[in-house]
Amino acid sequence: MKTNVSSLPLYFGDAEITFFNVNIDTNEQSDSLWHRHSYYEIHVCREGCVEYTFENERTVLRAGEVLIIAPDTPHFSVDREKYSEKALCVISFGVTKARGGKKLFDIFTGALDNYKCKPIRISKIAKLELELFYDPSRYHTVKGVCRLNAVAAQFLSLLFESIIDDTHNAVYGKRDTAVLIDNMINLPSVTLDDIAKATSYSKRHVSRLIREKYGCSLGQLRKRAKEHASNGSK
């Protein structure tokens, strides 16, 4: 297996946002393993769909959606549709801090933190020429790099305008929400407030979902689990 990586750095004050295009030269694409990065990742899906698994939740990124992954977040992804002789469907941007310039890194990452691990749908992204990033020749010519810079800047403008102005449309399917709640209720330190924030629902709605599935409140559910564990240890 041969892997070729092309990159394109863009600088906004003290924020460096680097595009990574990874082409894996193999007939069969294997599913990725658990891993983490020291920088922010921004993934945008061009086609198909990719399932991401985090420690406490699972979500699906579909065409036209963006996913933000915070630094040091363990995750892995599975391509829902196996592609053969076709470029990977996910485009990745890494956000790191650079020296000098206006203090924009904290502003960028503060906005990213608010929407991490949840797909964001931005309809205008579909109109961008994102397929240009899959052409390796563009990274080696002045004209090609200028064009890539222009498209990348358009993408970042749409993204940050959406998450900073709160004009985005967060995507959270019923199945994904159920998986997230199932995982979080098993963590004793997680409160109803935490679950509501993670699912973008009100506490009242989360309580209703838990009662509908388990027939009792979160407190009662944990009390039963504690009593069961206590009886089992005798």
Side-chain angles (χ1 to χ4, degrees):
M1 181 174 70
K2 181 181 179 182
T3 302
N4 297 314
V5 180
S6 300
S7 63
L8 177 75
L10 299 93
Y11 295 91
F12 301 87
D14 62 345
E16 178 180 346
I17 301 180
T18 304
F19 163 80
F20 294 99
N21 175 33
V22 182
N23 286 313
I24 302 177
D25 184 14
T26 179
N27 292 326
E28 295 184 3
Q29 295 178 17
S30 60
D31 299 336
S32 60
L33 301 176
W34 281 103
H35 65 286
R36 65 181 73 196
H37 301 283
S38 60
Y39 51 84
Y40 288 83
E41 287 184 276
I42 305 172
H43 289 189
V44 53
C45 187
R46 287 182 56 242
E47 56 183 306
C49 56
V50 181
E51 182 177 278
Y52 288 79
T53 299
F54 301 96
E55 284 185 312
N56 297 320
E57 62 185 292
R58 184 181 301 138
T59 191
V60 176
L61 185 67
R62 297 178 174 83
E65 296 176 358
V66 175
L67 183 69
I68 297 166
I69 305 175
D72 299 317
T73 300
H75 62 280
F76 73 86
S77 58
V78 177
D79 199 343
R80 281 273 185 100
E81 301 177 16
K82 299 300 181 181
Y83 290 88
S84 58
E85 300 180 358
K86 201 170 187 179
L88 293 173
C89 67
V90 172
I91 296 174
S92 176
F93 284 79
V95 184
T96 56
K97 191 168 186 176
R99 293 183 178 181
K102 294 182 179 180
K103 305 300 181 182
L104 298 178
F105 177 79
D106 290 340
I107 297 176
F108 285 172
T109 55
L112 296 176
D113 277 339
N114 289 330
Y115 301 102
K116 59 189 178 183
C117 299
K118 297 180 182 179
I120 301 169
R121 185 184 300 280
I122 305 177
S123 58
K124 293 180 181 179
I125 284 182
K127 299 179 181 179
L128 298 181
E129 300 175 278
L130 296 177
E131 68 276 2
L132 296 178
F133 289 107
Y134 288 105
D135 182 358
S137 66
R138 290 186 177 273
Y139 295 84
H140 305 292
T141 66
V142 173
K143 183 178 179 180
V145 170
C146 288
R147 188 65 188 135
L148 291 175
N149 269 277
V151 177
Q154 284 181 291
F155 164 70
L156 292 172
S157 176
L158 288 174
L159 172 64
F160 285 111
E161 178 181 324
S162 296
I163 62 179
I164 291 176
D165 292 344
D166 200 28
T167 57
H168 73 289
N169 177 20
V171 180
Y172 226 99
K174 293 182 179 178
R175 179 184 176 187
D176 301 320
T177 300
V179 171
L180 175 58
I181 292 177
D182 283 343
N183 284 322
M184 295 190 79
I185 61 174
N186 292 315
L187 301 174
S189 61
V190 173
T191 65
L192 196 61
D193 282 322
D194 294 329
I195 300 176
K197 184 177 180 180
T199 57
S200 298
Y201 286 145
S202 67
K203 289 173 58 177
R204 184 176 180 180
H205 186 61
V206 170
S207 296
R208 186 183 302 116
L209 292 176
I210 293 175
R211 281 188 176 278
E212 287 177 355
K213 183 168 185 178
Y214 297 98
C216 62
S217 67
L218 177 62
Q220 292 170 329
L221 190 64
R222 286 181 171 166
K223 184 178 180 180
R224 291 179 186 177
K226 188 175 181 180
E227 290 174 350
H228 180 75
S230 178
N231 293 333
S233 62
K234 294 180 179 179

